[in-house]
Amino acid sequence: MPAMLAAQLTALPLSQIPSPQPSFRHGLRPSPAARARSLAPLAAASAPAISAKPAAAAAPIVADRSVVRIGLPSKGRMAEQTLSLLKSCQLSVRQLNPRQYTADIPLVPNLEVWFQRPKDIVRKLQSGDLDLGIVGFDIGTEDLVVVHDALEFGHCRLSLAVPKEGIYENINTLEDLVKMPEWTEERPLRVVTGFGYLGDKFLREKGFKHVHFLSADGALESYPPMGMADAIVDLVSSGTTLRENNLKEIEGGIVLESQATLVASRKSLHKRQGVLGITHELLERLEAHLRATSELMVTANMRGNSAEEVAERVLGQASICGLQGPTISPVYCRHDGKVDVEYYAINVVVPQKLLYKSIQQLRSVGGSGVLVTKLTYIFDEETPRWRNLLSELGL
């Protein structure tokens, strides 16, 4: 199970599971289809059954705390990828002692970093002890606001898996599984998971009538081979652990898909001085860097009588039109003691996936001496996510 999503949940049989209120989680962001069906969250995890009690009300924000706090994952690959992304955005985290839970980001004054488990980041955001956090999520709540929903790491999925052999040898789709005659009221399909509410809701919507959920804290892959369960619903990244334990995912069995996100306390954004400004800076840096990673700057020389003539040729090619259009400037050369313009330099931003096609199109209109440069940032006039955030906050 990915470290970012390690919080465990418990579950009850289908007929006994209550409907808790929506809540944030630390590892799941639904695909569009899953978002529509996932209208309630998971309960927190240590009790023997899903609790019907609503989440405790967030504690009032402490008035005497002037510093802004952000929670970052403390361990594992999620922590490494978070620090790497921040460093790429010139937001390097300075931790004087690796055993300490606190650090800072020198380029952002008044921002305090706290290293926490993902599930604790969510809880402390809801209580007001943290203002910002990088976690995964399944669906939003009124307490927390998604600032950036796609940080491009921490990808995983909540998926159903069954054994490869025995009565499941020819079970390759969720439809195959639901049609198996083995599942009855006396002998239901036994599913072990740490995500009881989502698993139950998903299977009910897919037509399963006889299902019993078992709660477990880890090593779910061991349950089917030991005869303790028929299937598991767990977080999957590469699927290697499933395969090594003779389990397989089946078509149609993905409950949710996820990646890392930047979230904030709604109350902090409204009431704590400095939170909105720091959120804006973090969002701008993240957005500019993430956008730039998928683009390249292409420079080429082209013969022409004028910049306008060259522009006409370039704009006639769909892949080399750039963000707003190509930048064209004269290339000055000396001929027979005179400065003259025979070539023009074209600078254009193109998607990485269209690089070769773009070069072919440049050559087709006379381009030569093509250079390709990686980009670090692309700043827009204003990021759409910032406008969306202000709209959601009513600002």
Side-chain angles (χ1 to χ4, degrees):
M1 178 182 295
M4 66 179 283
L5 301 173
Q8 299 297 310
L9 303 174
T10 55
L12 288 172
L14 290 174
S15 61
Q16 300 179 33
I17 295 182
S19 297
Q21 297 300 310
S23 66
F24 247 81
R25 287 281 296 159
H26 16 281
L28 297 174
R29 173 177 181 263
S31 60
R35 187 187 299 270
R37 64 174 180 262
S38 300
L39 299 178
L42 308 172
S46 57
I50 291 181
S51 173
K53 295 180 180 180
I61 287 186
V62 181
D64 60 355
R65 174 162 70 83
S66 59
V67 67
V68 177
R69 292 174 176 171
I70 183 170
L72 302 182
S74 57
K75 295 180 180 179
R77 191 178 179 189
M78 177 73 167
E80 295 171 2
Q81 292 176 317
T82 299
L83 295 177
S84 176
L85 173 62
L86 292 175
K87 183 177 181 180
S88 298
C89 299
Q90 295 187 342
L91 295 169
S92 294
V93 175
R94 180 176 62 184
Q95 188 179 19
L96 299 180
N97 185 337
R99 294 182 179 274
Q100 290 181 333
Y101 289 104
T102 58
D104 65 1
I105 298 178
L107 286 184
V108 185
N110 202 44
L111 179 61
E112 189 174 80
V113 174
W114 283 81
F115 292 103
Q116 302 282 296
R117 295 181 303 173
K119 63 182 179 182
D120 292 331
I121 293 175
V122 174
R123 291 169 181 166
K124 290 176 182 180
L125 282 166
Q126 291 176 318
S127 69
D129 295 304
L130 291 175
D131 306 304
L132 296 155
I134 290 182
V135 293
F137 76 106
D138 56 315
I139 50 177
T141 75
E142 292 184 0
D143 297 328
L144 305 184
V145 178
V146 181
V147 179
H148 197 299
D149 61 347
L151 296 182
E152 302 298 337
F153 70 92
H155 294 274
C156 66
R157 58 193 178 273
L158 183 62
S159 189
L160 184 141
V162 298
K164 292 181 180 179
E165 301 171 350
I167 62 173
Y168 306 97
E169 184 175 359
N170 297 317
I171 303 300
N172 298 308
T173 70
L174 200 65
E175 185 178 359
D176 293 338
L177 187 64
V178 75
K179 288 181 178 179
M180 290 180 67
E182 282 82 358
W183 319 132
T184 64
E185 186 173 353
E186 294 75 22
R187 175 57 174 89
L189 173 70
R190 298 167 301 164
V191 180
V192 61
T193 185
F195 302 90
Y197 181 78
L198 280 180
D200 162 58
K201 190 174 191 303
F202 175 76
L203 292 181
R204 279 193 295 173
E205 290 176 351
K206 296 300 182 179
F208 286 82
K209 296 180 180 179
H210 306 297
V211 182
H212 178 73
F213 280 87
L214 307 170
S215 174
D217 294 330
L220 304 188
E221 295 83 3
S222 66
Y223 279 67
M226 294 178 70
M228 299 171 65
D230 304 299
I232 72 171
V233 172
D234 201 8
L235 295 161
V236 180
S237 292
S238 64
T240 301
T241 304
L242 290 179
R243 291 189 293 272
E244 289 180 348
N245 286 276
N246 208 31
L247 298 174
K248 64 182 179 182
E249 294 180 88
I250 57 177
E251 182 182 338
I254 295 178
V255 181
L256 294 173
E257 293 178 302
S258 168
Q259 64 177 299
T261 63
L262 174 66
V263 298
S265 161
R266 184 181 297 271
K267 187 175 290 186
S268 291
L269 288 169
H270 277 293
K271 296 186 177 182
R272 190 178 301 288
Q273 185 175 0
V275 174
L276 197 61
I278 287 177
T279 300
H280 189 200
E281 179 176 352
L282 295 180
L283 179 59
E284 287 256 75
R285 287 176 178 270
L286 289 166
E287 187 93 327
H289 175 67
L290 291 170
R291 184 179 180 192
T293 57
S294 63
E295 308 283 346
L296 293 168
M297 174 69 78
V298 175
T299 303
N301 289 336
M302 189 178 297
R303 288 180 182 271
N305 296 320
S306 67
E308 290 76 12
E309 178 199 324
V310 171
E312 285 286 348
R313 279 187 272 161
V314 172
L315 290 171
Q317 306 297 318
S319 295
I320 52 176
C321 292
L323 298 178
Q324 282 84 34
T327 300
I328 300 174
S329 56
V331 176
Y332 294 95
C333 303
R334 187 180 291 278
H335 293 291
D336 299 327
K338 295 182 180 180
V339 175
D340 194 12
V341 175
E342 186 176 347
Y343 286 89
Y344 288 84
I346 300 99
N347 289 290
V348 62
V349 174
V350 303
Q352 285 197 28
K353 61 184 179 181
L354 297 179
L355 174 61
Y356 187 65
K357 183 177 181 180
S358 300
I359 292 173
Q360 288 179 311
Q361 290 188 353
L362 275 171
R363 286 171 172 169
S364 73
V365 293
S368 63
V370 180
L371 304 177
V372 180
T373 308
K374 287 185 176 181
L375 298 175
T376 306
Y377 303 102
I378 298 177
F379 286 96
D380 284 321
E381 293 181 15
E382 188 63 87
T383 165
R385 283 187 172 90
W386 176 248
R387 292 194 294 270
N388 293 341
L389 177 62
L390 293 181
S391 175
E392 183 168 347
L393 295 173
L395 300 176

